[in-house]
Amino acid sequence: MKAISIRLRLTAWYVAVLLASLTLFGVAAFLAMRRGIEKSVDESLQGQAAGVEEVMGRVLQEDPARLQDELREHQELREQADFLQVCDQNGRWIYRSRLMTHYEVPVPVKASSSAYGVMSVDLPLRVLVREMSASGATYRIQVATPMDDFYDAIDHFKWMLLLLGPVLLVLASAGGYWLSGRALAPVDKITRAAHEINSNSLAKRLDVPRSGDELQRLSQTLNQMLDRLEVSFNRITQFTADASHELRTPLALMRTTTEVSLRTSQSIADYREAQEEILAELEKTSSLIEKLMLLARADAGVETMQRASVNVAECLRDACEDGKVLAEAKQVKFLENIGAQKILIEGDSNALHRLFLVLIDNAVKYTPIGGSVSVRLTQTNGSGVAEFRDTGIGISADDLPHIFDRFYRADKARSREFGGVGLGLSIARWVAEAHRGTIEVQSTPGTGSVFRVHLPLLKS
Ligand SMILES: Nc1ncnc2c1ncn2[C@@H]1O[C@H](COP(=O)(O)OP(=O)(O)OP(=O)(O)O)[C@@H](O)[C@H]1O
Ligand SMILES: [Mg+2]
């Protein structure tokens, strides 16, 4: 089905609503007009009938023989509306006006004070029939008003509505179409502008009309969305560039080592030395690729945590076992203060182990020989807090806001020498946030750093 533009749809709705209102108005006006006319005619008929009744009542008492003459006189006083006939209960005419005779209005069948009816002889007549009893006899009085003029007027009105309605409708739809076009023109403008924005021009923004209406809000919202997209897009581009760069360095190193070894190695021992160098680089590269894949999967939302109840104390103790080995190799003192209590949280023990190891690895890595690293676990209002304190090189205030960024290293040369690529803390933060936790850091250059991980406890 072909999509219909909003403009056409708006116009169609507008026309439909207008059509319904016009129809409703026309029918109501028509009925009200007819009812109004009939009401005033009926009132006048009632008046006439009452007048006749009064005359008849009087005459029948005083002199019944003069009834016909009295009725004629009474009727002749009326200038128009010569529509009166009176008969007795046997249908015998007592009086019949000239016009009643002319149109041969029949004898009434039954009578009541509210029996109005339209009778179409040659002329549409609205007739009121009344019954009156006097001196032992019953009479039926019929008064009538010709309705032809009224019906002509109503008819005229009806035709005016029927002809004027469509004209009005056509004019209104044209107006509606024009108006909706005008109202939607800014949307078209936004569409054209949005159409021109692509990955190469993500910095472009839509013009925001200062109209304070929905369109201003729409453009602002789209611009905010573009802001977020631009940030994510730049981050991804940067991530890809950094990742390729980090992968190129060890590859170049391995290539050079291999070439040099092939050209210059004389003995098995020489080859062996080269192979060992290459193996070390390969291990670093594998670890880098593993971190990259983890972050990429996390970004894509594929890497999900296994949710289970985990004892943080046990998990941290495991990580400390690995930490002790690292610390020993680096000749750094390692202190562990975890305690025997169970601290339960909901989470993934592998991911938490990775998070703790990143922080222990950093603490050991950035602490010179002879320094110390201490790990502590406490529990404060609703959270387990793991603290990693070192007496290392510290982080400057300038670097502090960035250390959780991907590939960010405070001192590139130094960090690389330690084998770091700047992904550890990004992964740590992702794990903490996936557990609804936080990481905070305090550091003084030259004195040391403290990292604290807060993890919300399992609600029992
Ligand atoms: N305990 C610490 N003491 C001093 N500097 C630190 C410490 N922890 C992190 N940093 C600084 O923050 C940077 C980012 O740390 P991160 O763990 O993300 O990367 P990395 O250790 O360089 O590499 P890797 O991806 O191998 O962990 C480090 O390069 C370092 O400059
Ligand atoms: Mg690290």
Side-chain angles (χ1 to χ4, degrees):
M1 200 180 81
K2 195 171 175 290
I4 305 175
S5 73
I6 292 186
R7 188 180 184 184
L8 270 182
R9 259 185 294 166
L10 269 181
T11 314
W13 271 107
Y14 175 62
V15 169
V17 170
L18 194 71
L19 180 68
S21 336
L22 273 180
T23 311
L24 210 73
F25 167 77
V27 171
F30 177 78
L31 291 178
M33 188 175 169
R34 205 172 65 180
R35 185 73 215 107
I37 288 174
E38 283 173 358
K39 208 170 150 225
S40 75
V41 167
D42 289 350
E43 273 165 17
S44 122
L45 285 177
Q46 290 277 9
Q48 280 181 51
V52 172
E53 257 181 68
E54 195 210 297
V55 171
M56 282 179 66
R58 183 169 47 78
V59 175
L60 282 171
Q61 243 178 19
E62 291 169 1
D63 183 1
R66 281 193 48 77
L67 184 58
Q68 215 158 33
D69 294 337
E70 285 284 340
L71 279 175
R72 183 170 304 111
E73 264 168 40
H74 170 78
Q75 197 59 8
E76 271 164 6
L77 285 177
R78 304 183 62 83
E79 278 169 8
Q80 329 136 328
D82 182 26
F83 284 93
L84 167 68
Q85 58 188 15
V86 180
C87 64
D88 63 16
Q89 68 261 48
N90 303 319
R92 202 165 48 86
W93 294 117
I94 306 292
Y95 173 78
R96 220 175 172 200
S97 71
R98 193 177 49 81
L99 284 174
M100 284 295 209
T101 319
H102 177 80
Y103 287 109
E104 290 176 10
V105 177
V107 183
V109 184
K110 76 176 212 265
S112 87
S113 61
S114 58
Y116 300 104
V118 174
M119 200 174 272
S120 207
V121 265
D122 280 342
L123 185 74
L125 283 180
R126 192 158 176 88
V127 186
L128 168 65
V129 186
R130 271 221 192 158
E131 214 165 55
M132 88 168 268
S133 303
S135 328
T138 312
Y139 300 93
R140 283 181 192 169
I141 305 165
Q142 265 177 296
V143 283
T145 305
M147 298 296 283
D148 49 348
D149 284 348
F150 296 135
Y151 287 161
D152 277 353
I154 295 178
D155 231 36
H156 190 77
F157 179 64
K158 185 177 82 187
W159 278 109
M160 196 193 72
L161 283 180
L162 283 179
L163 290 175
L164 217 61
V167 174
L168 244 156
L169 214 60
V170 169
L171 283 179
S173 4
Y177 191 69
W178 178 76
L179 265 182
S180 46
R182 247 183 79 100
L184 291 172
V187 176
D188 272 342
K189 205 174 142 208
I190 293 174
T191 311
R192 275 196 303 277
H195 199 78
E196 278 164 18
I197 298 177
N198 55 33
S199 59
N200 295 324
S201 57
L202 257 186
K204 265 195 198 167
R205 290 294 174 270
L206 305 173
D207 291 338
V208 177
R210 299 260 157 254
S211 46
D213 57 8
E214 290 87 343
L215 291 173
Q216 179 176 352
R217 284 201 297 283
L218 175 67
S219 343
Q220 275 166 344
T221 310
L222 284 176
N223 278 347
Q224 284 159 6
M225 184 187 80
L226 284 171
D227 289 345
R228 291 195 297 274
L229 278 180
E230 192 186 6
V231 169
S232 317
F233 189 83
N234 288 346
R235 222 180 64 183
I236 294 169
T237 317
Q238 188 62 45
F239 183 61
T240 318
D242 288 344
S244 333
H245 179 79
E246 291 301 331
L247 284 170
R248 212 176 50 190
T249 316
L251 274 181
L253 242 149
M254 287 188 271
R255 183 183 173 150
T256 317
T257 313
T258 314
E259 277 172 359
V260 170
S261 156
L262 280 176
R263 234 181 306 122
T264 58
S265 293
Q266 305 277 333
S267 61
I268 299 275
D270 289 344
Y271 276 114
R272 203 183 165 83
E273 193 186 334
Q275 294 276 315
E276 274 162 4
E277 259 176 58
I278 292 169
L279 186 63
E281 274 311 311
L282 275 175
E283 271 162 7
K284 269 195 246 168
T285 313
S286 304
S287 135
L288 167 64
I289 289 174
E290 196 204 335
K291 285 178 193 166
L292 287 175
M293 280 178 61
L294 182 75
L295 283 170
R297 284 204 306 268
D299 283 347
V302 179
E303 186 73 16
T304 44
M305 303 274 160
Q306 305 288 323
R307 302 266 161 209
S309 129
V310 177
N311 180 6
V312 186
E314 196 182 304
C315 199
L316 187 56
R317 221 172 279 124
D318 274 357
C320 285
E321 288 310 308
D322 296 341
K324 275 176 204 155
V325 179
L326 294 173
E328 204 172 321
K330 181 85 189 287
Q331 295 173 35
V332 167
K333 239 198 285 164
F334 193 91
L335 304 164
E336 179 188 318
N337 181 5
I338 293 175
Q341 87 274 35
K342 254 189 178 180
I343 296 184
L344 291 179
I345 69 156
E346 189 190 30
D348 181 320
S349 56
N350 284 334
L352 287 170
H353 185 269
R354 187 185 271 279
L355 156 62
F356 297 148
L357 205 56
V358 164
L359 296 175
I360 294 173
D361 174 56
N362 281 351
V364 172
K365 202 155 66 173
Y366 301 111
T367 299
I369 298 175
S372 73
V373 168
S374 63
V375 176
R376 207 155 71 100
L377 182 65
T378 50
Q379 187 174 330
T380 47
N381 44 36
S383 300
V385 183
E387 185 186 279
F388 304 83
R389 188 181 286 274
D390 66 56
T391 58
I393 56 173
I395 305 160
S396 75
D398 289 345
D399 291 321
L400 219 46
H402 304 292
I403 54 169
F404 292 96
D405 295 349
R406 292 174 185 186
F407 294 109
Y408 190 87
R409 286 163 296 193
D411 181 341
K412 294 227 183 295
R414 194 123 149 233
S415 174
R416 176 137 193 97
E417 169 196 323
F418 293 129
V421 287
L423 289 178
L425 288 179
S426 314
I427 292 171
R429 187 168 66 176
W430 167 64
V431 174
E433 284 173 357
H435 285 81
R436 284 175 285 113
T438 51
I439 302 187
E440 59 178 37
V441 52
Q442 285 165 353
S443 186
T444 316
T447 307
S449 316
V450 191
F451 284 79
R452 282 191 200 89
V453 184
H454 297 253
L455 296 165
L457 296 179
L458 188 72
K459 288 194 183 68
S460 53

